[in-house]
Amino acid sequence: MVLNLESKHDLEDFKSYILVEKNFSEHTAKAYYADILAYLIWLDNQACEDVNFSKVREYLHFIQIFNYKKTTIARKIASIRTFYKYLHREKKIENNPAESLISPKRPKSLPKFLTMEEIEQILNNINIETPAGYRNRAILELLWASGMRVSELSGLNFGNLNLENNEITVFGKGAKERIILITDRAKRYLQGYIDYARPLIAKGYILDPITDTTPVFINKTGYRLQTRMIRNVINDIVEKIQLPKKVTPHMFRHSFATHLIENGADLRVVQELLGHASISNTQIYTHISMQHMKEVYNETHPRA
């Protein structure tokens, strides 16, 4: 199969559009780019600008053979719709052939979360006697205390910290800025990491002077700690304590939101703390809390 040259140019321009103008995250932009690239390859030498609705539908029938999940199909449809919407905006096409596409209903699944006991079990089994161990404890304390995304934590610079007021500025999806709050305990571990553990993390390496753009969390060579390493830290602890759950960094975010709701936090406040664009994304945590209440009820009520 041959990729049409004009379509290739359209794809590169589209990538710039969703990154710069639409403020898509790198992860989402990469997924959309891959979706459209696969679509253009399937079109072969046919220009994407000469496609009608029937041709787009034909492609969607074609990808059924790969047995993608409904969420993946929905994303691919969203990618194509956004791509053609962009081409229409740029006046490269007169009619949008993807405008009438309908995404499959996504299965509703409740996010998994950790109980207070499980969180404390994880935190208390981190060896803080080493610089890396103390760093890891500070990281998980922050994830649990703030509900920030692991990518937001990895991207923290010293200029984002306002520890005097227990505040941290983070940049979420689409580079949206928000202020999150942290507990005194999380602040103590973070301050201890900065003062004592961080200078010892990169043994044998000279660290640059701290400025507003200096990364807070670093690896053993002094560079910014990546999200993959944070996931590995959690995996190692969970395996060590043999917790019967697959734990991800995002579960700390889910747990943060769930426990706030359970303890009476206003939904709008939780929305702001999580950085959700729509409150509908936050409302799912009320369902988690209700499910948890039902489980407790069924386990403890003598007539249940």
Side-chain angles (χ1 to χ4, degrees):
M1 291 186 175
V2 180
L3 185 62
N4 180 276
L5 186 59
E6 185 63 28
S7 295
K8 185 177 181 181
H9 291 321
D10 288 337
L11 175 59
E12 295 304 321
D13 291 341
F14 173 69
K15 183 179 181 182
S16 299
Y17 164 72
I18 59 177
L19 278 171
V20 179
E21 293 193 39
K22 297 290 286 183
N23 278 328
F24 280 17
S25 68
E26 288 280 353
H27 177 77
T28 303
K30 186 177 180 180
Y32 272 47
Y33 181 90
D35 289 340
I36 300 304
L37 178 60
Y39 168 64
L40 296 180
I41 291 174
W42 177 82
L43 285 177
D44 200 8
N45 200 35
Q46 182 176 3
C48 60
E49 299 168 2
D50 298 333
V51 166
N52 57 23
F53 177 74
S54 297
K55 191 68 175 181
V56 177
R57 288 289 299 171
E58 185 183 337
Y59 174 70
L60 296 179
H61 283 301
F62 165 72
I63 63 176
Q64 297 298 324
I65 65 174
F66 298 105
N67 293 320
Y68 289 123
K69 294 180 180 178
K70 284 187 177 180
T71 51
T72 303
I73 295 292
R75 191 203 66 225
K76 288 181 178 296
I77 291 175
S79 300
I80 293 173
R81 289 177 65 179
T82 306
F83 178 61
Y84 277 110
K85 187 175 181 180
Y86 162 74
L87 293 180
H88 187 260
R89 193 197 79 155
E90 294 297 305
K91 302 188 185 307
K92 293 191 173 186
I93 55 175
E94 290 187 11
N95 300 301
N96 184 346
E99 192 171 18
S100 301
L101 290 180
I102 300 175
S103 297
K105 288 187 177 181
R106 301 190 183 194
K108 291 184 179 180
S109 57
L110 296 177
K112 294 180 175 61
F113 67 98
L114 297 162
T115 65
M116 291 287 294
E117 292 74 18
E118 289 169 337
I119 290 171
E120 291 300 328
Q121 187 181 4
I122 291 172
L123 294 174
N124 292 331
N125 275 279
I126 301 173
N127 178 17
I128 60 174
E129 298 302 318
T130 67
Y134 200 97
R135 176 203 62 197
N136 297 343
R137 177 68 185 258
I139 285 172
L140 296 194
E141 288 281 357
L142 272 182
L143 288 177
W144 159 229
S146 67
M148 74 173 77
R149 300 176 179 91
V150 67
S151 58
E152 295 169 346
L153 185 139
S154 172
L156 285 181
N157 296 327
F158 276 90
N160 301 130
L161 306 182
N162 181 3
L163 296 187
E164 184 178 347
N165 294 324
N166 290 52
E167 296 176 358
I168 297 177
T169 302
V170 298
F171 295 89
K173 290 184 176 180
K176 292 180 180 177
E177 178 181 324
R178 75 181 189 281
I179 294 177
I180 61 172
L181 308 176
I182 62 172
T183 62
D184 287 336
R185 188 173 86 169
K187 181 173 76 170
R188 284 197 302 272
Y189 275 103
L190 178 56
Q191 193 66 65
Y193 158 74
I194 292 170
D195 293 340
Y196 309 113
R198 189 181 185 278
L200 302 175
I201 290 282
K203 191 174 181 180
Y205 292 84
I206 299 175
L207 297 179
D208 293 330
I210 292 177
T211 67
D212 283 352
T213 58
T214 301
V216 174
F217 292 105
I218 57 175
N219 58 26
K220 63 182 180 181
T221 59
Y223 290 98
R224 186 182 301 277
L225 192 69
Q226 300 300 309
T227 57
R228 183 183 69 255
M229 186 65 183
I230 299 172
R231 292 187 180 92
N232 291 341
V233 166
I234 295 175
N235 290 339
D236 290 344
I237 298 168
V238 170
E239 185 177 345
K240 172 187 172 184
I241 64 178
Q242 297 183 330
L243 193 68
K245 274 185 181 179
K246 178 176 174 55
V247 181
T248 65
H250 218 64
M251 283 181 71
F252 282 81
R253 180 171 164 87
H254 294 323
S255 305
F256 165 81
T258 302
H259 293 307
L260 283 182
I261 296 293
E262 284 183 342
N263 286 287
D266 182 84
L267 202 60
R268 290 287 182 185
V269 173
V270 179
Q271 177 191 2
E272 289 295 323
L273 290 172
L274 292 176
H276 283 161
S278 169
I279 199 167
S280 62
N281 295 329
T282 316
Q283 285 175 328
I284 190 170
Y285 296 108
T286 62
H287 299 310
I288 296 176
S289 299
M290 180 59 68
Q291 184 187 47
H292 180 62
M293 283 193 290
K294 286 180 179 178
E295 290 173 357
V296 172
Y297 177 84
N298 290 330
E299 290 174 4
T300 58
H301 194 284
R303 296 292 184 184

